[in-house]
Amino acid sequence: MAERYFNWIGGQWVAARSGEIFQSLNPARLDDVIGEFPASDGADVGAAVEAAREALEGWRKMPAPKRGEILFKAGEILKARKESLAREMTREMGKPLRETLGDVQEAIDTAYYAAGEGRRLAGETVPAELPNKFAMSVRCPVGVCGLITPWNFPMAIPAWKTFPALICGNTVVFKPAKDTPLLATRLVQILEETGVPAGVVNLVHGFGESVGKAIVEHPRVDLVSFTGSCEVGRVIAESCGRRLRKHSLEMGGKNAQIILHDANLDLALEGALWGAFGTTGQRCTATSRLIVERSIAEEFTRRFLERVQALRVGYGLDPKVDIGPLVNLAQLQRVQGYVDIGVREGAKLLCGGRPLTEGELGHGCFYAPTVLGEVQPRMRVAQEEIFGPVTAILTADGFEDALEIANGTNYGLSCSIYTRDVNRAFAAIRDLASGIVYVNSPTIGAEVQLPFGGIKNTGNGHREAGTTVLDIFSEWKTVYVDYSGRLQKAQMD
Ligand code: NAD
Ligand code: MN
């Protein structure tokens, strides 16, 4: 019998009101059921929003440094359980243990960073234009925040949203992805242990079309923070737009690594391998395009294929494994669909291009690391996010052409350039249309103390992480104090 897990609403662990459940499966062994979770609906969301509303008064009035102490405690517990959480994460969504350890570490980093922010949350104090008058700005919470997350960073992304939301004095209704409900539960259990007051954090498990939609449409949710696909992000933006509800969206990418002729090729190969196939390519910042200068394209391609074919695919708890499974069978089919589209469009399948079913692999969602060659910039496989272990090689006629190809998609999350030419590196930093630029390192590898997000269809103008995340989870209040004892008129006296 699979273990049963629950929603956390108003400080109680409860089943869905309907009694419905769904299962979380191990994508490396689909017969391994990780647990049964509530398949919630609008009634559960309603109860969670109610609880979050009720808890808001007490929480927003707690001094921010005290809220910070609670988050610091969450960091300490996460740190103590890092290994066991990472193991559970590998079992629940597939990426190898060294990557899931990194995922938990990112949550730890975020906890400490947000905790420290409890003693800053800085506003501005500026001179007033009138005598005997004081002028400043302070941050206030937004209110009840609906947090909707994907499955590829089961601990890091929920932490990225929850901890900043809490430090700013908001309360939270959190809906995790249906593929990683266990890790979401673990995060919330840790918050429960820190003694966060009942109702401040509420967890509602279930599907996007029921729970996610109910959060977005609930009249008493003040802010929706979403990370996921563009398709869903657009639906959320429309709904929030009609209601004039605050919303921050972090969506997909079609990230490129540019390799110029003077690059350190060994380094560029390492970077490409990690950027394209880390997390089985299921990262919003995954390197799905390799833009290589023509004079080195042949050598790069030959050496890259050698390395790709040597990658070991398997269960992520096996230390010899480089690449785990895709998260579920639907993703497997989606990836195969894109590879087929690429081949129909005239791309050349250089390696991979099929599910792996030999032996033990047949029980999971494994796909061979895939490289498409002779890809043209307008092909769908060069334009659309695939979100799997598939990368496309495009050839560029020089630096300018490489930049033009890199910038020629509707996404703008992460870009990288490998060159030893400092002039070109700085020109690329200026000219790449991308929220994040890396020089001589791959398109993946963000740190929590700087803004994270992208331009064009990747986002709607917000940035998570860094201090910029505070702008999502707080409203500015501007305060004037006139101590002159008389009526003073700005711009007139
Ligand atoms: P998804 O858009 O399918 O789902 C994301 C979340 O939204 C899930 O919790 C889902 O249940 C929920 N959802 C689905 N339909 C909804 C609706 N109608 N209303 C409200 N919520 C709804 O994405 P996914 O498959 O879980 O994740 C993969 C996508 O996430 C990729 O496109 C990837 O690029 C993106 N992503 C982006 C970032 C980033 O920071 N830019 C990070 C990780 C993943
Ligand atoms: Mn799962």
Side-chain angles (χ1 to χ4, degrees), residues 57-88:
E57 269 312 287
W59 184 247
R60 79 177 174 90
K61 287 177 181 160
M62 181 187 286
K66 290 276 174 247
R67 296 197 296 259
E69 283 172 25
I70 291 176
L71 294 181
F72 186 84
K73 222 184 278 176
E76 295 287 273
I77 302 173
L78 281 163
K79 200 167 151 189
R81 288 188 203 152
K82 183 173 167 182
E83 172 90 21
S84 72
L85 290 168
R87 286 184 172 279
E88 285 189 318

PDB file of all heavy atoms in Angstrom, residues 57-88:
ATOM      1  N   GLU A  57      -3.103  38.934   9.274  1.00  0.00           N
ATOM      2  CA  GLU A  57      -2.937  40.038  10.225  1.00  0.00           C
ATOM      3  C   GLU A  57      -1.775  39.809  11.189  1.00  0.00           C
ATOM      4  O   GLU A  57      -0.919  40.670  11.373  1.00  0.00           O
ATOM      5  CB  GLU A  57      -4.232  40.226  11.045  1.00  0.00           C
ATOM      6  CG  GLU A  57      -5.206  41.195  10.430  1.00  0.00           C
ATOM      7  CD  GLU A  57      -4.556  42.494   9.993  1.00  0.00           C
ATOM      8  OE1 GLU A  57      -4.200  43.315  10.860  1.00  0.00           O
ATOM      9  OE2 GLU A  57      -4.396  42.682   8.760  1.00  0.00           O
ATOM     10  N   GLY A  58      -1.770  38.634  11.801  1.00  0.00           N
ATOM     11  CA  GLY A  58      -0.724  38.322  12.768  1.00  0.00           C
ATOM     12  C   GLY A  58       0.654  38.272  12.113  1.00  0.00           C
ATOM     13  O   GLY A  58       1.631  38.789  12.650  1.00  0.00           O
ATOM     14  N   TRP A  59       0.707  37.663  10.952  1.00  0.00           N
ATOM     15  CA  TRP A  59       2.000  37.438  10.294  1.00  0.00           C
ATOM     16  C   TRP A  59       2.604  38.742   9.796  1.00  0.00           C
ATOM     17  O   TRP A  59       3.791  38.980   9.940  1.00  0.00           O
ATOM     18  CB  TRP A  59       1.808  36.436   9.163  1.00  0.00           C
ATOM     19  CG  TRP A  59       3.082  36.049   8.461  1.00  0.00           C
ATOM     20  CD1 TRP A  59       3.419  36.335   7.175  1.00  0.00           C
ATOM     21  CD2 TRP A  59       4.182  35.289   8.992  1.00  0.00           C
ATOM     22  NE1 TRP A  59       4.647  35.809   6.869  1.00  0.00           N
ATOM     23  CE2 TRP A  59       5.147  35.161   7.973  1.00  0.00           C
ATOM     24  CE3 TRP A  59       4.442  34.707  10.245  1.00  0.00           C
ATOM     25  CZ2 TRP A  59       6.352  34.484   8.151  1.00  0.00           C
ATOM     26  CZ3 TRP A  59       5.645  34.028  10.415  1.00  0.00           C
ATOM     27  CH2 TRP A  59       6.578  33.922   9.386  1.00  0.00           C
ATOM     28  N   ARG A  60       1.780  39.604   9.218  1.00  0.00           N
ATOM     29  CA  ARG A  60       2.363  40.825   8.660  1.00  0.00           C
ATOM     30  C   ARG A  60       2.834  41.760   9.776  1.00  0.00           C
ATOM     31  O   ARG A  60       3.717  42.567   9.577  1.00  0.00           O
ATOM     32  CB  ARG A  60       1.392  41.537   7.701  1.00  0.00           C
ATOM     33  CG  ARG A  60       0.300  42.351   8.342  1.00  0.00           C
ATOM     34  CD  ARG A  60      -0.558  43.062   7.292  1.00  0.00           C
ATOM     35  NE  ARG A  60      -1.686  43.717   7.923  1.00  0.00           N
ATOM     36  CZ  ARG A  60      -1.652  44.972   8.365  1.00  0.00           C
ATOM     37  NH1 ARG A  60      -0.568  45.702   8.236  1.00  0.00           N
ATOM     38  NH2 ARG A  60      -2.711  45.489   8.960  1.00  0.00           N
ATOM     39  N   LYS A  61       2.253  41.594  10.968  1.00  0.00           N
ATOM     40  CA  LYS A  61       2.643  42.445  12.083  1.00  0.00           C
ATOM     41  C   LYS A  61       3.833  41.873  12.870  1.00  0.00           C
ATOM     42  O   LYS A  61       4.413  42.569  13.696  1.00  0.00           O
ATOM     43  CB  LYS A  61       1.456  42.688  13.015  1.00  0.00           C
ATOM     44  CG  LYS A  61       0.454  43.645  12.376  1.00  0.00           C
ATOM     45  CD  LYS A  61      -0.757  43.859  13.231  1.00  0.00           C
ATOM     46  CE  LYS A  61      -1.736  44.796  12.538  1.00  0.00           C
ATOM     47  NZ  LYS A  61      -3.086  44.660  13.096  1.00  0.00           N
ATOM     48  N   MET A  62       4.160  40.636  12.653  1.00  0.00           N
ATOM     49  CA  MET A  62       5.360  40.087  13.298  1.00  0.00           C
ATOM     50  C   MET A  62       6.573  40.809  12.715  1.00  0.00           C
ATOM     51  O   MET A  62       6.682  40.966  11.503  1.00  0.00           O
ATOM     52  CB  MET A  62       5.472  38.576  13.023  1.00  0.00           C
ATOM     53  CG  MET A  62       6.690  37.939  13.694  1.00  0.00           C
ATOM     54  SD  MET A  62       6.916  36.206  13.210  1.00  0.00           S
ATOM     55  CE  MET A  62       5.615  35.404  14.129  1.00  0.00           C
ATOM     56  N   PRO A  63       7.489  41.278  13.576  1.00  0.00           N
ATOM     57  CA  PRO A  63       8.660  41.976  13.026  1.00  0.00           C
ATOM     58  C   PRO A  63       9.402  41.096  12.014  1.00  0.00           C
ATOM     59  O   PRO A  63       9.586  39.897  12.244  1.00  0.00           O
ATOM     60  CB  PRO A  63       9.517  42.248  14.266  1.00  0.00           C
ATOM     61  CG  PRO A  63       8.547  42.254  15.409  1.00  0.00           C
ATOM     62  CD  PRO A  63       7.493  41.244  15.044  1.00  0.00           C
ATOM     63  N   ALA A  64       9.813  41.704  10.911  1.00  0.00           N
ATOM     64  CA  ALA A  64      10.470  40.933   9.850  1.00  0.00           C
ATOM     65  C   ALA A  64      11.692  40.159  10.358  1.00  0.00           C
ATOM     66  O   ALA A  64      11.920  39.024   9.921  1.00  0.00           O
ATOM     67  CB  ALA A  64      10.840  41.842   8.681  1.00  0.00           C
ATOM     68  N   PRO A  65      12.513  40.683  11.262  1.00  0.00           N
ATOM     69  CA  PRO A  65      13.631  39.868  11.758  1.00  0.00           C
ATOM     70  C   PRO A  65      13.163  38.589  12.452  1.00  0.00           C
ATOM     71  O   PRO A  65      13.838  37.562  12.389  1.00  0.00           O
ATOM     72  CB  PRO A  65      14.338  40.797  12.761  1.00  0.00           C
ATOM     73  CG  PRO A  65      14.008  42.170  12.273  1.00  0.00           C
ATOM     74  CD  PRO A  65      12.589  42.066  11.774  1.00  0.00           C
ATOM     75  N   LYS A  66      11.997  38.636  13.085  1.00  0.00           N
ATOM     76  CA  LYS A  66      11.449  37.413  13.706  1.00  0.00           C
ATOM     77  C   LYS A  66      11.006  36.427  12.626  1.00  0.00           C
ATOM     78  O   LYS A  66      11.221  35.212  12.743  1.00  0.00           O
ATOM     79  CB  LYS A  66      10.242  37.764  14.594  1.00  0.00           C
ATOM     80  CG  LYS A  66      10.632  38.525  15.844  1.00  0.00           C
ATOM     81  CD  LYS A  66      11.083  37.586  16.958  1.00  0.00           C
ATOM     82  CE  LYS A  66      11.600  38.352  18.150  1.00  0.00           C
ATOM     83  NZ  LYS A  66      13.041  38.183  18.393  1.00  0.00           N
ATOM     84  N   ARG A  67      10.373  36.951  11.586  1.00  0.00           N
ATOM     85  CA  ARG A  67      10.022  36.066  10.463  1.00  0.00           C
ATOM     86  C   ARG A  67      11.301  35.460   9.895  1.00  0.00           C
ATOM     87  O   ARG A  67      11.341  34.283   9.528  1.00  0.00           O
ATOM     88  CB  ARG A  67       9.273  36.852   9.381  1.00  0.00           C
ATOM     89  CG  ARG A  67       7.927  37.394   9.832  1.00  0.00           C
ATOM     90  CD  ARG A  67       7.045  37.807   8.645  1.00  0.00           C
ATOM     91  NE  ARG A  67       7.567  38.896   7.852  1.00  0.00           N
ATOM     92  CZ  ARG A  67       7.162  40.175   7.928  1.00  0.00           C
ATOM     93  NH1 ARG A  67       6.196  40.510   8.775  1.00  0.00           N
ATOM     94  NH2 ARG A  67       7.691  41.089   7.150  1.00  0.00           N
ATOM     95  N   GLY A  68      12.353  36.265   9.849  1.00  0.00           N
ATOM     96  CA  GLY A  68      13.642  35.787   9.352  1.00  0.00           C
ATOM     97  C   GLY A  68      14.187  34.635  10.184  1.00  0.00           C
ATOM     98  O   GLY A  68      14.772  33.692   9.651  1.00  0.00           O
ATOM     99  N   GLU A  69      13.985  34.697  11.495  1.00  0.00           N
ATOM    100  CA  GLU A  69      14.472  33.610  12.360  1.00  0.00           C
ATOM    101  C   GLU A  69      13.791  32.294  12.006  1.00  0.00           C
ATOM    102  O   GLU A  69      14.406  31.229  12.041  1.00  0.00           O
ATOM    103  CB  GLU A  69      14.227  33.952  13.833  1.00  0.00           C
ATOM    104  CG  GLU A  69      15.246  34.954  14.371  1.00  0.00           C
ATOM    105  CD  GLU A  69      14.895  35.454  15.774  1.00  0.00           C
ATOM    106  OE1 GLU A  69      14.198  34.732  16.516  1.00  0.00           O
ATOM    107  OE2 GLU A  69      15.325  36.585  16.099  1.00  0.00           O
ATOM    108  N   ILE A  70      12.522  32.371  11.688  1.00  0.00           N
ATOM    109  CA  ILE A  70      11.792  31.156  11.292  1.00  0.00           C
ATOM    110  C   ILE A  70      12.377  30.586   9.993  1.00  0.00           C
ATOM    111  O   ILE A  70      12.606  29.383   9.870  1.00  0.00           O
ATOM    112  CB  ILE A  70      10.286  31.465  11.158  1.00  0.00           C
ATOM    113  CG1 ILE A  70       9.707  31.733  12.558  1.00  0.00           C
ATOM    114  CG2 ILE A  70       9.550  30.338  10.455  1.00  0.00           C
ATOM    115  CD1 ILE A  70       8.252  32.147  12.579  1.00  0.00           C
ATOM    116  N   LEU A  71      12.662  31.478   9.045  1.00  0.00           N
ATOM    117  CA  LEU A  71      13.228  31.004   7.779  1.00  0.00           C
ATOM    118  C   LEU A  71      14.642  30.454   7.974  1.00  0.00           C
ATOM    119  O   LEU A  71      15.043  29.490   7.319  1.00  0.00           O
ATOM    120  CB  LEU A  71      13.229  32.125   6.744  1.00  0.00           C
ATOM    121  CG  LEU A  71      11.830  32.568   6.313  1.00  0.00           C
ATOM    122  CD1 LEU A  71      11.919  33.658   5.267  1.00  0.00           C
ATOM    123  CD2 LEU A  71      11.035  31.386   5.759  1.00  0.00           C
ATOM    124  N   PHE A  72      15.386  31.068   8.880  1.00  0.00           N
ATOM    125  CA  PHE A  72      16.722  30.561   9.169  1.00  0.00           C
ATOM    126  C   PHE A  72      16.623  29.128   9.686  1.00  0.00           C
ATOM    127  O   PHE A  72      17.385  28.244   9.299  1.00  0.00           O
ATOM    128  CB  PHE A  72      17.426  31.458  10.200  1.00  0.00           C
ATOM    129  CG  PHE A  72      18.852  31.070  10.433  1.00  0.00           C
ATOM    130  CD1 PHE A  72      19.853  31.517   9.586  1.00  0.00           C
ATOM    131  CD2 PHE A  72      19.199  30.230  11.485  1.00  0.00           C
ATOM    132  CE1 PHE A  72      21.178  31.137   9.777  1.00  0.00           C
ATOM    133  CE2 PHE A  72      20.525  29.844  11.689  1.00  0.00           C
ATOM    134  CZ  PHE A  72      21.509  30.308  10.832  1.00  0.00           C
ATOM    135  N   LYS A  73      15.644  28.895  10.553  1.00  0.00           N
ATOM    136  CA  LYS A  73      15.429  27.552  11.088  1.00  0.00           C
ATOM    137  C   LYS A  73      15.096  26.575   9.953  1.00  0.00           C
ATOM    138  O   LYS A  73      15.577  25.438   9.933  1.00  0.00           O
ATOM    139  CB  LYS A  73      14.282  27.595  12.105  1.00  0.00           C
ATOM    140  CG  LYS A  73      14.547  26.774  13.354  1.00  0.00           C
ATOM    141  CD  LYS A  73      13.360  26.755  14.303  1.00  0.00           C
ATOM    142  CE  LYS A  73      13.273  27.984  15.206  1.00  0.00           C
ATOM    143  NZ  LYS A  73      12.046  27.989  16.047  1.00  0.00           N
ATOM    144  N   ALA A  74      14.295  27.029   8.997  1.00  0.00           N
ATOM    145  CA  ALA A  74      13.980  26.169   7.844  1.00  0.00           C
ATOM    146  C   ALA A  74      15.266  25.802   7.111  1.00  0.00           C
ATOM    147  O   ALA A  74      15.467  24.642   6.713  1.00  0.00           O
ATOM    148  CB  ALA A  74      13.005  26.878   6.901  1.00  0.00           C
ATOM    149  N   GLY A  75      16.176  26.778   6.957  1.00  0.00           N
ATOM    150  CA  GLY A  75      17.466  26.501   6.317  1.00  0.00           C
ATOM    151  C   GLY A  75      18.256  25.450   7.085  1.00  0.00           C
ATOM    152  O   GLY A  75      18.851  24.539   6.497  1.00  0.00           O
ATOM    153  N   GLU A  76      18.234  25.564   8.417  1.00  0.00           N
ATOM    154  CA  GLU A  76      18.977  24.609   9.245  1.00  0.00           C
ATOM    155  C   GLU A  76      18.418  23.189   9.100  1.00  0.00           C
ATOM    156  O   GLU A  76      19.175  22.222   9.024  1.00  0.00           O
ATOM    157  CB  GLU A  76      18.911  25.033  10.725  1.00  0.00           C
ATOM    158  CG  GLU A  76      19.609  26.346  11.029  1.00  0.00           C
ATOM    159  CD  GLU A  76      21.121  26.231  10.989  1.00  0.00           C
ATOM    160  OE1 GLU A  76      21.725  25.888  12.005  1.00  0.00           O
ATOM    161  OE2 GLU A  76      21.682  26.482   9.904  1.00  0.00           O
ATOM    162  N   ILE A  77      17.097  23.076   9.073  1.00  0.00           N
ATOM    163  CA  ILE A  77      16.497  21.734   8.945  1.00  0.00           C
ATOM    164  C   ILE A  77      16.781  21.164   7.552  1.00  0.00           C
ATOM    165  O   ILE A  77      17.144  20.000   7.398  1.00  0.00           O
ATOM    166  CB  ILE A  77      14.975  21.769   9.224  1.00  0.00           C
ATOM    167  CG1 ILE A  77      14.700  22.328  10.623  1.00  0.00           C
ATOM    168  CG2 ILE A  77      14.367  20.380   9.088  1.00  0.00           C
ATOM    169  CD1 ILE A  77      13.218  22.568  10.918  1.00  0.00           C
ATOM    170  N   LEU A  78      16.643  22.016   6.538  1.00  0.00           N
ATOM    171  CA  LEU A  78      16.936  21.565   5.164  1.00  0.00           C
ATOM    172  C   LEU A  78      18.364  21.035   5.078  1.00  0.00           C
ATOM    173  O   LEU A  78      18.629  20.006   4.452  1.00  0.00           O
ATOM    174  CB  LEU A  78      16.766  22.718   4.176  1.00  0.00           C
ATOM    175  CG  LEU A  78      15.334  23.081   3.760  1.00  0.00           C
ATOM    176  CD1 LEU A  78      15.305  24.476   3.133  1.00  0.00           C
ATOM    177  CD2 LEU A  78      14.782  22.045   2.776  1.00  0.00           C
ATOM    178  N   LYS A  79      19.276  21.755   5.727  1.00  0.00           N
ATOM    179  CA  LYS A  79      20.688  21.384   5.676  1.00  0.00           C
ATOM    180  C   LYS A  79      20.903  20.029   6.344  1.00  0.00           C
ATOM    181  O   LYS A  79      21.597  19.163   5.813  1.00  0.00           O
ATOM    182  CB  LYS A  79      21.485  22.464   6.404  1.00  0.00           C
ATOM    183  CG  LYS A  79      22.937  22.512   6.064  1.00  0.00           C
ATOM    184  CD  LYS A  79      23.520  23.810   6.600  1.00  0.00           C
ATOM    185  CE  LYS A  79      24.975  23.626   6.935  1.00  0.00           C
ATOM    186  NZ  LYS A  79      25.498  24.799   7.652  1.00  0.00           N
ATOM    187  N   ALA A  80      20.250  19.841   7.489  1.00  0.00           N
ATOM    188  CA  ALA A  80      20.410  18.577   8.215  1.00  0.00           C
ATOM    189  C   ALA A  80      19.838  17.406   7.412  1.00  0.00           C
ATOM    190  O   ALA A  80      20.311  16.278   7.522  1.00  0.00           O
ATOM    191  CB  ALA A  80      19.727  18.676   9.572  1.00  0.00           C
ATOM    192  N   ARG A  81      18.803  17.661   6.578  1.00  0.00           N
ATOM    193  CA  ARG A  81      18.149  16.568   5.845  1.00  0.00           C
ATOM    194  C   ARG A  81      18.517  16.531   4.375  1.00  0.00           C
ATOM    195  O   ARG A  81      17.860  15.858   3.584  1.00  0.00           O
ATOM    196  CB  ARG A  81      16.630  16.749   5.938  1.00  0.00           C
ATOM    197  CG  ARG A  81      16.167  16.436   7.308  1.00  0.00           C
ATOM    198  CD  ARG A  81      14.674  16.402   7.410  1.00  0.00           C
ATOM    199  NE  ARG A  81      14.397  16.653   8.804  1.00  0.00           N
ATOM    200  CZ  ARG A  81      13.318  17.212   9.262  1.00  0.00           C
ATOM    201  NH1 ARG A  81      12.358  17.562   8.416  1.00  0.00           N
ATOM    202  NH2 ARG A  81      13.167  17.427  10.538  1.00  0.00           N
ATOM    203  N   LYS A  82      19.552  17.279   4.013  1.00  0.00           N
ATOM    204  CA  LYS A  82      19.861  17.444   2.589  1.00  0.00           C
ATOM    205  C   LYS A  82      19.929  16.109   1.847  1.00  0.00           C
ATOM    206  O   LYS A  82      19.302  15.930   0.802  1.00  0.00           O
ATOM    207  CB  LYS A  82      21.191  18.208   2.468  1.00  0.00           C
ATOM    208  CG  LYS A  82      21.603  18.504   1.051  1.00  0.00           C
ATOM    209  CD  LYS A  82      22.830  19.418   1.037  1.00  0.00           C
ATOM    210  CE  LYS A  82      23.425  19.464  -0.361  1.00  0.00           C
ATOM    211  NZ  LYS A  82      24.633  20.294  -0.424  1.00  0.00           N
ATOM    212  N   GLU A  83      20.673  15.166   2.398  1.00  0.00           N
ATOM    213  CA  GLU A  83      20.891  13.896   1.710  1.00  0.00           C
ATOM    214  C   GLU A  83      19.584  13.106   1.546  1.00  0.00           C
ATOM    215  O   GLU A  83      19.276  12.615   0.469  1.00  0.00           O
ATOM    216  CB  GLU A  83      21.936  13.085   2.492  1.00  0.00           C
ATOM    217  CG  GLU A  83      22.127  11.664   2.019  1.00  0.00           C
ATOM    218  CD  GLU A  83      23.198  11.525   0.934  1.00  0.00           C
ATOM    219  OE1 GLU A  83      24.053  12.431   0.824  1.00  0.00           O
ATOM    220  OE2 GLU A  83      23.160  10.513   0.216  1.00  0.00           O
ATOM    221  N   SER A  84      18.788  13.027   2.604  1.00  0.00           N
ATOM    222  CA  SER A  84      17.569  12.207   2.494  1.00  0.00           C
ATOM    223  C   SER A  84      16.546  12.883   1.574  1.00  0.00           C
ATOM    224  O   SER A  84      15.852  12.217   0.800  1.00  0.00           O
ATOM    225  CB  SER A  84      16.982  11.910   3.864  1.00  0.00           C
ATOM    226  OG  SER A  84      16.393  13.057   4.417  1.00  0.00           O
ATOM    227  N   LEU A  85      16.486  14.205   1.621  1.00  0.00           N
ATOM    228  CA  LEU A  85      15.579  14.907   0.709  1.00  0.00           C
ATOM    229  C   LEU A  85      16.011  14.693  -0.743  1.00  0.00           C
ATOM    230  O   LEU A  85      15.185  14.473  -1.633  1.00  0.00           O
ATOM    231  CB  LEU A  85      15.568  16.411   1.021  1.00  0.00           C
ATOM    232  CG  LEU A  85      14.902  16.813   2.336  1.00  0.00           C
ATOM    233  CD1 LEU A  85      15.220  18.271   2.664  1.00  0.00           C
ATOM    234  CD2 LEU A  85      13.394  16.602   2.285  1.00  0.00           C
ATOM    235  N   ALA A  86      17.321  14.752  -0.980  1.00  0.00           N
ATOM    236  CA  ALA A  86      17.828  14.578  -2.348  1.00  0.00           C
ATOM    237  C   ALA A  86      17.501  13.175  -2.856  1.00  0.00           C
ATOM    238  O   ALA A  86      17.116  12.990  -4.012  1.00  0.00           O
ATOM    239  CB  ALA A  86      19.331  14.845  -2.383  1.00  0.00           C
ATOM    240  N   ARG A  87      17.646  12.184  -1.986  1.00  0.00           N
ATOM    241  CA  ARG A  87      17.333  10.809  -2.393  1.00  0.00           C
ATOM    242  C   ARG A  87      15.858  10.681  -2.771  1.00  0.00           C
ATOM    243  O   ARG A  87      15.498  10.072  -3.772  1.00  0.00           O
ATOM    244  CB  ARG A  87      17.665   9.817  -1.282  1.00  0.00           C
ATOM    245  CG  ARG A  87      19.131   9.610  -1.150  1.00  0.00           C
ATOM    246  CD  ARG A  87      19.532   8.554  -0.131  1.00  0.00           C
ATOM    247  NE  ARG A  87      20.946   8.359  -0.290  1.00  0.00           N
ATOM    248  CZ  ARG A  87      21.497   7.595  -1.236  1.00  0.00           C
ATOM    249  NH1 ARG A  87      20.725   6.885  -2.057  1.00  0.00           N
ATOM    250  NH2 ARG A  87      22.796   7.516  -1.377  1.00  0.00           N
ATOM    251  N   GLU A  88      15.005  11.276  -1.942  1.00  0.00           N
ATOM    252  CA  GLU A  88      13.574  11.213  -2.261  1.00  0.00           C
ATOM    253  C   GLU A  88      13.277  11.949  -3.564  1.00  0.00           C
ATOM    254  O   GLU A  88      12.413  11.558  -4.336  1.00  0.00           O
ATOM    255  CB  GLU A  88      12.761  11.840  -1.121  1.00  0.00           C
ATOM    256  CG  GLU A  88      12.676  10.936   0.101  1.00  0.00           C
ATOM    257  CD  GLU A  88      11.692  11.453   1.139  1.00  0.00           C
ATOM    258  OE1 GLU A  88      11.656  12.678   1.400  1.00  0.00           O
ATOM    259  OE2 GLU A  88      10.953  10.622   1.692  1.00  0.00           O
TER     260      GLU A  88
END
